[in-house]
């Protein structure tokens, strides 16, 4: 997907308008892996804020452990945030890149009141955010497979594996099995 001369002659505002119209069209007709990736980037942006908040405000007996763990998680999140966006750009896509876009696409929420949450509640909240992001990632992986975008698929699979590992470790921290309370896997037990 190279930009032709006519595209390059448009103003930045016209180019952005065309990009936004294309994204809206894709989101309302046939969703693709890149469109789901915008939601993943939105989630990562929200996680950036939330993990920093928890890192700064965690209290209690596990302060030192969780303070360090939340920092590790937000650094890891930043790595994936950049890796996914660059993978999309390499493939000719135009990923979300502004706070307004990230807020529009995020499927997660954050709130100032969470700075007063108990440490275990912070961990459980991050687990749920990681699970939501993992489920979205699985959807993007399937679309990338259907589209034959092997590089994006590989990036998403590696990201999913990282999410799975973090979910397991955080679950273990609060004394639960890796898949315990996981709605995506509870359905298989029926």
């Amino acid at each position: 997907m190279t930009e032709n001369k006519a595209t390059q002659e448009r103003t930045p505002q016209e180019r952005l308008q065309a990009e936004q119209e294309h994204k809206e069209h894709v989101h309302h007709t046939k969703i693709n892996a890149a469109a789901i990736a915008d939601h993943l980037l939105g989630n990562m942006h929200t996680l950036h804020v939330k993990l920093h908040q928890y890192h700064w405000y965690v209290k209690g007996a596990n302060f030192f452990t969780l303070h360090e763990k939340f920092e590790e998680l937000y650094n890891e999140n930043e790595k994936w945030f950049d890796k996914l966006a660059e993978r999309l750009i390499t493939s000719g896509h135009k990923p979300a890149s502004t706070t307004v876009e990230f807020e529009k696409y995020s499927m997660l929420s954050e709130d100032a009141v969470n700075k007063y949450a108990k440490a275990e509640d912070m961990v459980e909240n991050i687990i749920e955010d990681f699970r939501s992001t993992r489920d979205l990632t699985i959807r993007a992986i399937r679309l990338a497979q259907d589209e034959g975008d092997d590089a994006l698929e590989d990036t998403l699979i590696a990201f999913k594996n990282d999410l799975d590992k973090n979910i397991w470790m955080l679950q273990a921290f609060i004394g639960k099995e890796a898949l315990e309370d996981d709605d995506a896997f509870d359905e298989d037990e029926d």
Side-chain angles (χ1 to χ4, degrees):
M1 291 185 206
T2 59
E3 295 182 280
N4 61 32
K5 187 173 179 149
T7 300
Q8 291 175 354
E9 291 175 358
R10 290 191 279 177
T11 68
Q13 292 80 10
E14 291 169 332
R15 293 172 72 183
L16 179 61
Q17 179 68 31
E19 174 189 326
Q20 290 171 338
E21 288 171 3
H22 173 74
K23 281 186 177 193
E24 285 300 312
H25 174 74
V26 169
H27 270 88
H28 291 101
T29 55
K30 185 177 189 283
I31 197 98
N32 63 19
I36 298 294
D38 274 338
H39 291 289
L40 291 171
L41 291 170
N43 282 10
M44 290 175 192
H45 185 269
T46 301
L47 281 165
H48 170 85
V49 173
K50 190 179 274 189
L51 287 164
H52 275 84
Q53 180 190 51
Y54 290 176
H55 169 74
W56 295 329
Y57 287 99
V58 68
K59 295 193 177 3
N62 292 310
F63 169 80
F64 289 107
T65 302
L66 288 176
H67 181 75
E68 187 175 309
K69 185 62 177 179
F70 291 144
E71 181 175 4
E72 176 188 318
L73 291 173
Y74 69 66
N75 286 331
E76 200 171 284
N77 181 66
E78 289 304 302
K79 176 189 82 170
W80 285 110
F81 185 69
D82 193 51
K83 187 177 270 197
L84 179 57
E86 288 180 352
R87 176 70 256 152
L88 291 167
I89 291 169
T90 302
S91 299
H93 301 290
K94 303 232 183 303
S97 61
T98 67
T99 300
V100 170
E101 289 174 303
F102 296 138
E103 288 173 352
K104 175 183 176 182
Y105 291 120
S106 181
M107 312 291 265
L108 308 178
S109 63
E110 49 91 14
D111 192 327
V113 75
N114 289 335
K115 71 176 88 178
Y116 301 109
K118 295 179 200 167
E120 186 169 305
D121 292 340
M122 290 177 174
V123 172
E124 288 178 349
N125 195 295
I126 294 300
I127 291 168
E128 287 309 309
D129 287 350
F130 281 173
R131 284 179 173 157
S132 295
T133 302
R134 179 213 49 214
D135 295 347
L136 204 53
T137 303
I138 291 168
R139 187 168 176 207
I141 290 168
R142 290 181 180 140
L143 288 167
Q145 288 170 338
D146 292 346
E147 296 162 17
D149 192 339
D150 297 338
L152 180 56
E153 178 186 354
D154 290 346
T155 300
L156 292 166
I157 289 171
F159 177 55
K160 181 198 171 292
N161 288 339
D162 207 47
L163 288 168
D164 288 339
K165 178 193 72 166
N166 285 323
I167 292 166
W168 158 60
M169 293 176 120
L170 292 170
Q171 282 281 97
F173 181 81
I174 58 174
K176 294 184 177 182
E177 296 295 323
L179 301 178
E180 191 173 334
D181 302 328
D182 193 332
D183 294 339
F185 294 95
D186 288 344
E187 296 167 359
D188 295 339
E189 293 177 9
D190 293 334

